[in-house]
Amino acid sequence: MLCHEHTIAHSLKETLNQFLDIEKRCELIGRARDITQIVESLITIAQQILPFKTYAFYLIDQEKGDYHLRYAQQLDSKHKAIIQSHFDRGIIDQIMSEKRASVIPDFELTETNQNPTTGFIIVPLLAASHKMGFLEIWPISIQNICEKKQLPMLELLARQASIAIENTLLYQKLTETHELLKQSQEQTVHAEKMAAVGVLASGVAHEINNPLQIILARVQFQNRRSHGTEVDTTLKLVEKEAFRISNIVGSILRYAQNQNRQDIQMARIEAIIDDALLLTHAQLAAHQIQVDRCFANDLPEVMVNSGQIEQVLLNLIENARHSMKKGGILYVRTLKKEHEIQIEIEDTGYGIPKEYIGRIFDPFFTTKAPSEGTGLGLFLSYGIMQRHHGNIQVESTVGKGTKFVLQIPLQPPSPNEENTHH
Amino acid sequence: MKKILIIDDEAEIRNIFKEVLEEEGYTVSTAMNGDKGMEILKQDPFDVIILDKKMPFQSGPDFIRNAKPFLGNAKILLVSGSPSVENDCEIAGFLPKPCSIDVLVETVKKLTS
């Protein structure tokens, strides 16, 4: 009698020690910083609870709710078929909702009238509020699994791992959100700066107009009296330069005005392009960039929001300039096509690497430093072309240059088409 | 003898416009703001009023509204650096700022023919 009680007491003590041991090892999991480390620790400790070689670790996509195989060892097609049958027969769902580690004996491999010694163990991973996934194990043997209390120990282990995984995922999400917020803030600051620049430019332009008017008018008035004299040549030059200032000021004012207008009107694209070239003329010259301007003869007017198209052109010219730091040629062409007009902005700059081309229209994608750009130019340009029912495309060769092609349809879409676009 | 009134807060613009138009045979009066312009209008009728759009205290369009009873048959030329489409039927024409004196003379001639 005494001997039996002693055995029970001893067995209980041993089990308790095992549990405490597991809990201590779980500290490892708590310290892990990514999911791979967590799973490695999970597997290591689980193998100490009951030996196994083959396993499959599934994680649930928290947004879509489906299971993904993330880690596995020695998983062959037979094992995969078994897992698939567990899904198909609803066993996984049942175990996940019962929240208990379960052993499924493999009756196929067992001879009749024998107790099964092989099978599968499925351990659900659950954090406080979420199903995180599950671990399916092929243990060496499932004999005496209940006596050895291996399932509750696996559950304890699984609970720790689930919490650690949930925390890791939350931390990752937090970091991502923080990044987005930071970029969004930078964006707002930049937009406010640009708005302030617009207001300043507009004010300056207005202030310049008065003295400019006086200079121009006086020079012209004097010119009437100075025909054929030396003064005549000088005055003609001064008049020319005054007109030049006037054009620049006009471009700036039109640009500042247009940014605020929502209206779409029939316009000549050449005028908008020339405005943009005028505004960027000095910067291009400063970088030794030659402008090669080739306009089609009979380009019809198109329905556009001039300000927005100008914004797209300025963005493309700026990008071209940025790619030709040591000088080059900027080709600006207009072409008439059957159903649309085409504007080409081509440079002889360093080009865009293949791996980036698919991303250049993504918001916040940029290869420039934060002070040089926000990574929104092409994204906004893409949106503008879409709203015009047009298109923007890019071709580029590293070392040779980049070409952007804008397309604007000749016929504005009919009211029916209009409704299906958004 | 056609009469022209120039209302602009910039003295040198009033001066040069006056000299140019007087050379073309017009009689020109000037005013530095809308109020002074209104006083002049109350005394005499004018054929053309050249009016700056952006002035401190009273803008061109505001002046047109306030001076309505005194305008008579005067045709209004609005001078503006930024042509925006403010369809005031009261305005007979626009002058860009800056504008060539040729453009100034041609436009005034058209309005007074």
Side-chain angles (χ1 to χ4, degrees):
Chain A
M1 252 314 125
L2 209 62
C3 199
H4 185 55
E5 280 172 4
H6 194 72
T7 313
I8 294 176
H10 180 77
S11 156
L12 275 175
K13 199 168 167 197
E14 207 179 272
T15 309
L16 183 60
N17 282 336
Q18 280 176 319
F19 269 97
L20 291 172
D21 189 39
I22 300 291
E23 211 174 21
K24 227 169 59 175
R25 288 173 207 268
C26 284
E27 267 181 66
L28 251 180
I29 294 183
R31 271 186 260 130
R33 274 294 144 248
D34 64 56
I35 299 197
T36 307
Q37 276 181 13
I38 295 171
V39 175
E40 274 171 18
S41 302
L42 168 71
I43 298 299
T44 308
I45 302 172
Q47 281 170 334
Q48 286 158 6
I49 296 175
L50 90 167
F52 62 89
K53 283 261 171 63
T54 306
Y55 70 87
F57 179 88
Y58 278 77
L59 213 53
I60 296 180
D61 180 326
Q62 295 299 322
E63 264 157 52
K64 295 191 195 132
D66 55 349
Y67 293 85
H68 295 266
L69 178 61
R70 291 288 296 270
Y71 305 91
Q73 188 171 284
Q74 289 189 1
L75 208 67
D76 63 29
S77 51
K78 191 183 71 177
H79 298 121
K80 289 189 187 160
I82 290 171
I83 297 180
Q84 188 58 47
S85 79
H86 289 162
F87 273 113
D88 294 339
R89 286 150 65 190
I91 293 178
I92 305 290
D93 286 335
Q94 193 179 346
I95 291 174
M96 292 303 284
S97 53
E98 282 171 11
K99 302 183 184 170
R100 306 306 307 266
S102 310
V103 55
I104 303 171
D106 189 350
F107 289 108
E108 282 178 26
L109 285 182
T110 311
E111 287 160 22
T112 39
N113 295 329
Q114 296 275 34
N115 273 332
T117 56
T118 49
F120 331 102
I121 296 185
I122 298 176
V123 187
L125 273 90
L126 307 141
S129 38
H130 303 118
K131 297 179 185 168
M132 305 303 300
F134 69 90
L135 175 66
E136 177 144 358
I137 296 172
W138 277 257
I140 310 286
S141 164
I142 61 170
Q143 255 183 335
N144 299 326
I145 198 167
C146 291
E147 286 86 30
K148 293 190 204 164
K149 302 279 178 272
Q150 285 160 325
L151 290 185
M153 283 196 255
L154 286 173
E155 279 173 4
L156 169 61
L157 177 61
R159 206 170 310 135
Q160 296 295 327
S162 303
I163 294 172
I165 293 174
E166 189 183 43
N167 284 344
T168 305
L169 289 175
L170 284 173
Y171 184 73
Q172 278 172 359
K173 194 122 195 249
L174 183 64
T175 313
E176 267 169 37
T177 309
H178 181 76
E179 255 320 296
L180 272 177
L181 183 62
K182 219 171 67 159
Q183 283 177 346
S184 171
Q185 279 178 336
E186 280 171 11
Q187 198 33 48
T188 307
V189 167
H190 187 82
E192 282 175 355
K193 270 194 213 162
M194 293 324 287
V197 167
V199 168
L200 182 65
S202 188
V204 167
H206 273 114
E207 291 301 312
I208 289 178
N209 275 335
N210 274 359
L212 193 54
Q213 170 75 86
I214 297 164
I215 291 172
L216 188 64
R218 281 287 168 196
V219 162
Q220 288 174 330
F221 198 49
Q222 191 59 45
N223 226 354
R224 285 180 177 179
R225 294 162 176 63
S226 313
H227 268 304
T229 65
E230 271 175 27
V231 183
D232 184 37
T233 330
T234 309
L235 289 179
K236 282 221 163 58
L237 172 66
V238 174
E239 185 186 356
K240 194 181 93 177
E241 298 303 323
F243 270 123
R244 204 173 131 207
I245 298 177
S246 169
N247 284 337
I248 294 171
V249 170
S251 283
I252 296 176
L253 277 178
R254 270 192 298 282
Y255 175 77
Q257 253 191 336
N258 276 333
Q259 289 314 303
N260 297 324
R261 276 172 42 182
Q262 294 304 307
D263 53 321
I264 299 188
Q265 291 174 348
M266 290 299 271
R268 290 193 66 240
I269 274 294
E270 291 94 336
I272 304 174
I273 299 177
D274 279 337
D275 245 18
L277 285 175
L278 192 55
L279 280 174
T280 50
H281 177 258
Q283 282 223 299
L284 291 170
H287 283 75
Q288 276 102 43
I289 297 170
Q290 216 182 307
V291 176
D292 188 311
R293 184 179 164 282
C294 187
F295 286 177
N297 277 334
D298 51 353
L299 212 65
E301 289 189 346
V302 279
M303 274 294 246
V304 290
N305 177 321
S306 316
Q308 290 182 356
I309 298 296
E310 188 165 9
Q311 192 182 322
V312 174
L313 292 166
L314 287 172
N315 178 240
L316 294 179
I317 295 173
E318 163 69 20
N319 286 348
R321 179 182 71 78
H322 196 259
S323 78
M324 296 189 278
K325 292 208 156 82
K326 299 208 180 107
I329 308 176
L330 177 72
Y331 296 95
V332 181
R333 306 180 195 100
T334 62
L335 297 102
K336 178 168 190 274
K337 299 278 172 177
E338 202 180 318
H339 299 294
E340 72 256 352
I341 63 163
Q342 213 164 277
I343 307 169
E344 290 181 359
I345 306 278
E346 186 174 351
D347 63 58
T348 56
Y350 38 67
I352 305 172
K354 260 206 188 63
E355 57 265 24
Y356 290 157
I357 287 229
R359 299 172 58 193
I360 57 171
F361 295 111
D362 289 350
F364 304 122
F365 178 79
T366 182
T367 53
K368 299 178 187 168
S371 56
E372 291 179 303
T374 56
L376 276 194
L378 285 175
F379 170 69
L380 290 175
S381 299
Y382 185 83
I384 289 172
M385 295 318 294
Q386 292 293 89
R387 284 197 298 280
H388 280 82
H389 305 285
N391 204 3
I392 174 170
Q393 286 168 317
V394 62
E395 288 163 32
S396 186
T397 313
V398 172
K400 280 191 125 173
T402 304
K403 178 162 86 168
F404 278 94
V405 179
L406 301 173
Q407 286 161 333
I408 302 174
L410 287 174
Q411 288 283 52
S414 63
N416 288 339
E417 281 172 48
E418 200 72 49
N419 286 333
T420 59
H421 263 279
H422 299 281
Chain B
M1 191 71 100
K2 300 287 186 173
K3 291 175 68 176
I4 310 197
L5 174 62
I6 302 175
I7 307 179
D8 195 310
D9 58 305
E10 188 81 44
E12 287 302 332
I13 290 185
R14 294 196 304 270
N15 290 342
I16 184 60
F17 279 13
K18 182 170 156 130
E19 282 180 49
V20 168
L21 290 170
E22 276 177 347
E23 200 169 80
E24 297 294 324
Y26 295 97
T27 307
V28 183
S29 303
T30 65
M32 64 192 284
N33 58 44
D35 288 338
K36 297 245 161 66
M38 199 136 48
E39 278 169 33
I40 297 177
L41 269 183
K42 285 180 189 170
Q43 315 253 338
D44 296 309
F46 281 83
D47 298 289
V48 175
I49 303 177
I50 298 177
L51 181 60
D52 192 15
K53 184 169 159 198
K54 272 200 163 79
M55 290 185 286
F57 308 120
Q58 200 181 154
S59 73
D62 284 341
F63 169 80
I64 295 171
R65 243 165 288 150
N66 296 336
K68 206 151 173 202
F70 312 103
L71 290 177
N73 291 328
K75 300 214 173 102
I76 301 187
L77 266 183
L78 196 62
V79 181
S80 169
S82 50
S84 57
V85 200
E86 262 161 48
N87 273 328
D88 238 344
C89 310
E90 320 284 342
I91 298 172
F94 280 100
L95 274 181
K97 184 189 272 192
C99 73
S100 286
I101 55 180
D102 298 331
V103 169
L104 169 67
V105 167
E106 282 310 306
T107 313
V108 169
K109 275 191 180 152
K110 263 192 222 143
L111 287 185
T112 52
S113 62

